[in-house]
Amino acid sequence: MKVFESLCKLVSTAQATSSSQFNPFSLLPGLFTLTPLTTVAQRTIQRGTSPLDPLVLAPGLHLQPTANDLHKDEYPACAALTSGNVFRVENPATVYFLQRVGRTGCLTDLKVSAQASSPSRFLPTLDEALASLGYYAAAGCSVFAAQRVYALDDIWGLFFISNLILIRLVNFVVLRRRSQPGWFGAPEPGVQGHLFILLSQDRWVRIRGSVDDLKALTSGTWLGEPTTLETFFGAVAKLLVYANVAVAGSATDAGVCTIVAMLLVNGGLLALDNLRIRSLNMYGRTMEAVGEPKRYFRRKDLAVHLIRESGRDDWAVAMGLIVKNRASTVESEGITVIM
């Protein structure tokens, strides 16, 4: 009976509002939701999915599945200084993190460590949890807004918020299914690695750590291709986002103000949290910066410095940092040159 009474009330409200004058202000919740901001996607690519995701309602939430495209299709060249092999960084999430921490004309040092005691692939440390206070506050703000709209007896406003929660829930399930560990190459237990990466805009990054940890963060991809079922539910979530624009048109002015305030506050809190993230957590591994970036005035100076540290220059030749006819200039300094 309660469900029937609610449906009758919903229909009567729709009939009452259909004859009223159109209010352009009621379109703001839907337009703010469709704003092409990548705040939610940035949070996802740096921290993965979280059970709290359905409660964090912010502008651009429909773009969460596009988190895998934030690296702008860049797959930078990468050299293993210990073996001389040259390949590419294939993991989009790692590339995006390297783009964030890299500085033009500087060499940024990173380290990769395993989280042996982590029961979850994306379990944050205490410092990261403190840095995510804004994320938790955004979830609380959404709950408060839903309670406020319910107290206003705004059925359409409550339906709008419930629809957003459903969209986030669908995306959470789909992305969690797609983010299963994939191909990492052959295991090399106990072997230490040393990678040098050439990014766009003359950003240079050096990563140290266990070879198995380095492979887990640089090879493969963190999001697999969606299955037919996952593609279907992703399409349904997109349709619900656009349908919400019409739903918001029937909400009360007080409900509209509450929803708009919730979206703006949550968007700001999430953006601040993204700026405070200083490490990448994935598959039980952590990648973080070590020290301050070191500036070089020429690429040649950088290449010579790394050749002296690694004791070989085959990787530098393969990456185009030096040419073969200059190998004799570094060989005279006691450095093994492999052509």
Side-chain angles (χ1 to χ4, degrees):
M1 292 297 295
K2 292 184 178 180
V3 176
F4 180 75
E5 292 176 359
S6 300
L7 291 176
C8 292
K9 190 173 183 180
L10 187 63
V11 173
S12 61
T13 304
Q15 292 175 349
T17 55
S18 61
S19 58
S20 60
Q21 188 176 4
F22 174 72
N23 183 11
F25 181 69
S26 62
L27 294 178
L28 287 182
L31 295 178
F32 279 14
T33 304
L34 293 174
T35 303
L37 297 178
T38 59
T39 311
V40 176
Q42 291 174 17
R43 170 77 189 191
T44 303
I45 199 172
Q46 295 178 97
R47 282 292 173 265
T49 54
S50 168
L52 288 179
D53 280 356
L55 295 179
V56 180
L57 310 178
L61 58 85
H62 62 296
L63 297 179
Q64 184 182 15
T66 65
N68 219 28
D69 302 328
L70 292 179
H71 70 301
K72 301 176 182 178
D73 291 329
E74 180 178 5
Y75 297 95
C78 177
L81 303 187
T82 53
S83 64
N85 295 326
V86 176
F87 47 94
R88 298 191 309 176
V89 180
E90 300 289 347
N91 193 317
T94 301
V95 174
Y96 176 76
F97 178 75
L98 297 178
Q99 291 171 339
R100 288 191 66 241
V101 300
R103 297 292 181 269
T104 299
C106 297
L107 176 65
T108 304
D109 283 309
L110 303 177
K111 69 174 182 179
V112 176
S113 58
Q115 296 177 332
S117 60
S118 254
S120 171
R121 288 176 289 139
F122 300 104
L123 182 66
T125 62
L126 178 59
D127 292 339
E128 292 158 356
L130 293 176
S132 299
L133 290 178
Y135 180 80
Y136 305 138
C141 182
S142 300
V143 174
F144 174 79
Q147 187 276 334
R148 175 63 179 170
V149 172
Y150 177 79
L152 293 172
D153 203 21
D154 187 348
I155 297 179
W156 288 107
L158 187 61
F159 185 78
F160 181 91
I161 295 178
S162 301
N163 201 9
L164 294 184
I165 294 176
L166 177 60
I167 294 168
R168 289 283 273 157
L169 180 60
V170 171
N171 287 333
F172 164 76
V173 174
V174 171
L175 292 178
R176 179 58 67 94
R177 286 172 52 90
R178 292 176 58 192
S179 61
Q180 301 299 322
W183 183 86
F184 297 148
E188 300 181 45
V191 181
Q192 294 297 310
H194 188 180
L195 302 181
F196 173 68
I197 301 172
L198 281 177
L199 289 163
S200 60
Q201 302 176 13
D202 287 323
R203 293 170 291 186
W204 311 310
V205 177
R206 178 171 52 183
I207 311 177
R208 292 186 174 95
S210 168
V211 171
D212 287 339
D213 295 338
L214 293 174
K215 286 182 177 181
L217 295 185
T218 58
S219 59
T221 180
W222 75 286
L223 278 184
E225 292 297 324
T227 63
T228 303
L229 185 62
E230 292 166 353
T231 302
F232 169 76
F233 280 105
V236 170
K238 290 181 181 179
L239 292 176
L240 290 177
V241 174
Y242 290 94
N244 243 10
V245 178
V247 171
S250 301
T252 63
D253 290 343
V256 168
C257 291
T258 302
I259 296 173
V260 169
M262 175 197 68
L263 293 173
L264 293 178
V265 171
N266 286 356
L269 291 173
L270 207 56
L272 289 176
D273 264 6
N274 290 342
L275 293 176
R276 298 176 63 181
I277 294 177
R278 292 292 182 268
S279 63
L280 175 68
N281 285 359
M282 186 182 301
Y283 303 136
R285 279 91 172 179
T286 299
M287 179 185 293
E288 56 188 351
V290 178
E292 295 295 328
K294 183 178 180 181
R295 178 169 294 277
Y296 289 88
F297 293 101
R298 295 187 301 178
R299 290 186 183 179
K300 179 183 177 182
D301 297 338
L302 169 68
V304 171
H305 172 72
L306 294 180
I307 290 173
R308 288 174 178 172
E309 282 194 354
S310 61
R312 58 193 306 157
D313 71 343
D314 50 345
W315 60 268
V317 174
M319 299 183 81
L321 293 175
I322 61 174
V323 293
K324 291 184 178 181
N325 59 5
R326 294 182 183 177
S328 58
T329 61
V330 295
E331 186 176 16
S332 61
E333 300 178 6
I335 300 174
T336 302
V337 181
I338 304 175
M339 303 303 292

